[in-house]
Structures are given as C-alpha cells and as structure tokens.
Amino acid sequence: ADRMLWTQLPKELKVLCFRLLSSENILQCSCACRADALAVDAEELWALLFHRDWKWLCTDGPCLKSSARQSHRRVARKVQEFQAAFVVLGGCVRRGVEGRHRDGSVLSVLTPDRGKLLSWRSFGTLPLASRCAAGVCSSGSSTTSGRMVVAGGFDFSEEVALASCEAISISGLLSGQPVVEACPSLQRPRACPGLAASAQAVLAVGGGSSMFTAAEAFSSVEVLPLGAQQWLAGPSLKKPRCAAGVCVTDSGHAFAVSGYAGNEMYEASVEWLDLSSEGLRNGWHFGPQLSQARAGCAACFGPDGCVWVLGGGCDESASLDTVERLDPRVGRWQEAPIMPGRRRCFAASFGVDRKLYIYGGWNRERWHEDSAARLDLRNLCWETLPSPMGEADSIIPYHFVSGCTAL
C-alpha cells in the first residue's frame, strides 16, 4: 500500500523527498520505476542538490552551459579525486645592487602527492605582472574550464598600484603547466582589492592607492561580466575599504568585511550585496559589526554555512591571531579558535576536504609569517602544515599574499 501511494505521488513531491537523500542513494532510486526515474532526472532536483552539496565550495553556482546534474557530477568527481589545490600568490622582492629592489610574482600550489602527503609546488617565472597585494578568486569551479583570476596589486619596488588583470587555467595549474591569459585591466589601479566571483561576473571591491597607511582607500567597485572586454562600474560601498576581507556565500551574497578607510581609520563595519541583477541595483547594505576592526583580514565562506574572518589589524602595527565567524541565518559574530601566529594580508580558503587553510601574512615582529596551517571544523583544532619557502639568497618571499582554492 505504501509503495502504491509513493508511486502515485507527483514528480514535484518526489523531488522534495529525494533532496533529503545523498546523491548516491538518489541514483539508486532511478531503477525502481519510470516515475521515480523521471523525478531522479529532474533538473530542479539536481539544482537543489548542487546548492546543498557544493554551493559552499562553488559559490558562483553550477555551470550555465550544462545541466545542474552534470555540474554536480563534475564537482563530485573533482572532490573525490582531489583535483583541487590551495593556491597562494605573492610578491617576491629581490635585493639588487646599490640598494635597489626588483619585484616579481610567485605562485605556489599546495596539493597532496600520491601518498596523500601535502606538498608545495612553486612557479616564479609566469607571465604575471610583478606585484604583491593583488586580489585573487576562483571562477567557474563547476565547469571544465575553471580559472583563477588575479587583479590589481602593488609593485613594492616602484611603489605604485597596478590595474593589471590575468586569468590562470586551473586544469593547467593542477597539472603543473599553468597557462596565463591577459584579461582587461581594471578601470583604476587598486592595491589590496577584494575579488569575488558570481555566476555572471567577477567583482573587484574597494582597495587603495597603495598598501601603506597613508593610502587613499576606495569605496568604488568594478564588475567584469563573463566574456566582457572591459570592467564596468558597480555599486559603490557605503564605506571606503582597502584590504577588506571579501567572500561570497551560498545564497549569492558578497560580504565586504572591515578594511582600512583612510586617514588612519580602521573599519569594524561589514557590508553585504545581493549579486542578483535586482540586488546589484539595490546596492550594499550594512551587516552585523565585528568585535573589532580587522584591516587586512581574510574572509572565507565555509561548509558550515558561516562567513569566517581571520586576523587583520585595528591599527598600523599590531596584527591579530583571533578569528570570528558569522552565521547569516543568526546574524551575529561569534569567537572561533585563534590562529597559529598573528597575521594580516595573508592567504586563507576552505579546501575540498572542508578544512580551512592559511598561509603567510605580515605582523609587527616579522616582515613575513612563513607558516601554513589548517583548521579541522570537526574538532576545531589547528594543524601545522609544511611551508613553501623561507627568506634566502636576498629574496623576501610572499609579502602581502592572497589565495584561494582552485577547483
């Protein structure tokens, strides 16, 4: 009798029931009968499953050129085979003769080897603009042509902000043969911008005229629609923010957290923006305020549905090791386990293993915090990881780094 009642349910109700199961169990149901197979094949079911299983990792959503089921399967395969990496981009300053410096860019990738041990691979001769303090994000993670986008930054030797923008093929990066493609330059040079990807565009949020305390901080935002040949003006922030933490949630909201506001002012405020077409027209809104200012913090959206904000600083010298997280559904910030080491302007991202990775940064005691670690959300304990390099041969590596998870 129960089976008969189930068989008679409309497809829409079966979809709502199936969404509570794992994707593996759902696929097994497709063999039961034709009515179940139709529900299992429903695009609306796999859109729900993609949001549930992978939207925290691929906040720009499923591929627009394929079905949600194909996107779900593609991301699941990448995760199962660990076809992903924690990627760090930073400046590399070489001390030259007569006190001169020359800037470079170094890209380092943290992946497991065949024995599942984590190891770094670095690329120092890529055709990237030489800079530190660039904005970095991953775009198109659910596609076969995902890429890492790099925009803005600061040439430390020449002391100028940059408008350069490049894209790096993620598949090439993971295979050890990264391909760099030049992209349209930003409308204005931006040191320390925040970068975020939506389903339709990449956003460059705030930034400043330099990475130093006397910098002018920007409230302007630029948007590069997919396939476009130039950056466009986006909705401006309510407050200027240089070196703000920027991330996107699974609900399609971009968060801009803290930042340096200019004139020796450090923001503890938070703003959010709905990345839908209507939301972009409505502009930014203030969100729950942090316990303290965190200029140079890292912001990440996690598998627990929370926005995580790490480190940063509330003045020009002291960096923080404290961490806060915001559940947007609850609307208040809570303390989280402190990081190993005080740091600002560093790389942080959740990996496909649902752990939070960090590397690098600056603090008052050390020009460069050359350490890496990851946080396991199951026990909220930090684990020390190998570091890619240290200062040697007149090279200062990775000052003011950025990072993301490449998938």
Side-chain angles (χ1 to χ4, degrees), residues 152-213:
F154 189 76
D155 186 314
F156 186 79
S157 298
E158 300 298 328
E159 296 190 4
V160 293
L162 301 180
S164 306
C165 181
E166 301 96 354
I168 303 170
S169 164
I170 291 177
S171 60
L173 185 62
L174 297 178
S175 67
Q177 297 178 323
V179 177
V180 179
E181 173 190 356
C183 295
S185 295
L186 296 166
Q187 290 185 354
R188 70 183 304 177
R190 295 176 185 269
C192 304
L195 238 62
S198 71
Q200 303 288 349
V202 173
L203 277 71
V205 180
S209 59
S210 83
M211 61 184 234
F212 300 121
T213 306

Side-chain angles (χ1 to χ4, degrees), residues 58-386:
C58 309
T59 53
D60 52 351
C63 177
L64 300 178
K65 297 181 179 180
S66 62
S67 68
R69 182 172 181 174
Q70 289 174 318
S71 293
H72 190 284
R73 183 169 59 239
R74 193 178 296 122
V75 175
R77 184 175 64 251
K78 289 181 179 182
V79 171
Q80 290 166 1
E81 299 175 1
F82 218 95
Q83 297 177 21
F86 177 46
V87 183
V88 176
L89 175 71
C92 180
V93 178
R94 295 181 180 271
R95 295 192 180 98
V97 296
E98 300 179 354
R100 295 284 297 172
H101 295 79
R102 179 168 57 86
D103 265 34
S105 289
V106 181
L107 191 71
S108 289
V109 180
L110 180 66
T111 54
D113 58 21
R114 292 181 179 179
K116 301 299 182 183
L117 295 176
L118 291 170
S119 60
W120 291 91
R121 174 185 290 180
S122 295
F123 305 91
T125 58
L126 297 178
L128 291 166
S130 298
R131 85 273 231 182
C132 61
V136 171
C137 73
S138 178
S139 175
S141 299
S142 63
T143 72
T144 57
S145 56
R147 58 185 194 161
M148 174 178 164
V149 181
V150 182
F154 189 76
D155 186 314
F156 186 79
S157 298
E158 300 298 328
E159 296 190 4
V160 293
L162 301 180
S164 306
C165 181
E166 301 96 354
I168 303 170
S169 164
I170 291 177
S171 60
L173 185 62
L174 297 178
S175 67
Q177 297 178 323
V179 177
V180 179
E181 173 190 356
C183 295
S185 295
L186 296 166
Q187 290 185 354
R188 70 183 304 177
R190 295 176 185 269
C192 304
L195 238 62
S198 71
Q200 303 288 349
V202 173
L203 277 71
V205 180
S209 59
S210 83
M211 61 184 234
F212 300 121
T213 306
E216 176 192 357
F218 304 147
S219 60
S220 58
V221 174
E222 298 185 40
V223 179
L224 181 65
L226 294 182
Q229 296 304 307
Q230 65 178 358
W231 291 82
L232 308 174
S236 293
L237 296 159
K238 292 181 176 294
K239 297 271 191 176
R241 299 180 190 273
C242 180
V246 175
C247 69
V248 178
T249 70
D250 61 356
S251 59
H253 292 167
F255 274 74
V257 181
S258 189
Y260 176 67
N263 298 318
E264 299 186 6
M265 294 180 60
Y266 294 77
E267 285 291 336
S269 64
V270 176
E271 299 181 44
W272 64 272
L273 173 71
D274 183 343
L275 294 175
S276 67
S277 299
E278 182 179 354
L280 290 173
R281 289 192 294 270
N282 293 333
W284 293 86
H285 309 269
F286 282 118
Q289 185 159 300
L290 294 162
S291 64
Q292 61 185 315
R294 294 179 173 276
C297 66
C300 316
F301 184 72
D304 58 348
C306 294
V307 175
W308 288 68
V309 177
L310 305 89
C314 54
D315 57 38
E316 65 180 86
S317 57
S319 297
L320 302 170
D321 59 4
T322 55
V323 180
E324 299 181 58
R325 63 179 173 183
L326 169 71
D327 187 336
R329 298 159 294 190
V330 176
R332 67 175 181 272
W333 292 93
Q334 297 176 318
E335 292 183 359
I338 64 173
M339 295 185 295
R342 298 174 178 270
R343 57 188 87 209
R344 71 175 75 190
C345 298
F346 61 103
S349 182
F350 278 94
V352 297
D353 56 1
R354 298 174 176 260
K355 296 179 181 180
L356 177 54
Y357 288 74
I358 62 172
Y359 172 74
W362 175 89
N363 66 41
R364 181 169 52 186
E365 289 74 30
R366 302 181 64 189
W367 176 254
H368 170 64
E369 176 59 52
D370 185 29
S371 64
R374 66 181 175 185
L375 176 69
D376 191 329
L377 296 192
R378 294 169 297 182
N379 56 22
L380 294 179
C381 291
W382 288 94
E383 170 193 2
T384 300
L385 298 177

